[in-house]
Amino acid sequence: MRFLNIPILLLGLLFISSCREDRIQPTLFGSMVGTVIRDADNVAVNNAIISTTPPTSLILTDEFGRFALNDIEPGTYTIRAEKEGFSPEVESITVFEEKTANVIVKLS
């Protein structure tokens, strides 16, 4: 009879120790916005190709040279802007949780 109590006691302790609530941390994202301009005269460059490392998505600038990447993971990104007739340019930017990072890329 005594030997039966030990396994029951061990099972009871295992059950009690495994019944705890795990906290789930929400994933928080940030955003980045930017403008691509010509270095010589600060005129907006439309349809410039924007890519990032680590990869997010490939986008084009609008008619005012602007672009936006929303809901991206926080971290440091390398932005590459390129358009035919210009030398590609690279900028580094850090995105923080629930913040919007801004960058201006000048093409020459």
Side-chain angles (χ1 to χ4, degrees), residues 3-70:
F3 293 109
L4 287 175
N5 289 340
I6 293 175
I8 292 172
L9 179 63
L10 290 176
L11 283 173
L13 287 173
L14 180 64
F15 180 74
I16 289 171
S17 66
S18 66
C19 291
R20 63 183 163 96
E21 227 176 271
D22 289 332
R23 294 182 181 203
I24 297 174
Q25 295 294 330
T27 303
L28 300 176
F29 296 99
S31 301
M32 81 171 68
V33 295
T35 306
V36 178
I37 58 175
R38 286 193 311 222
D39 189 33
D41 54 10
N42 294 335
V43 171
V45 177
N46 67 331
N47 293 324
I49 300 169
I50 305 297
S51 59
T52 64
T53 304
T56 53
S57 58
L58 191 68
I59 58 173
L60 296 174
T61 57
D62 67 10
E63 63 185 292
F64 303 106
R66 298 178 303 202
F67 66 92
L69 294 166
N70 298 311

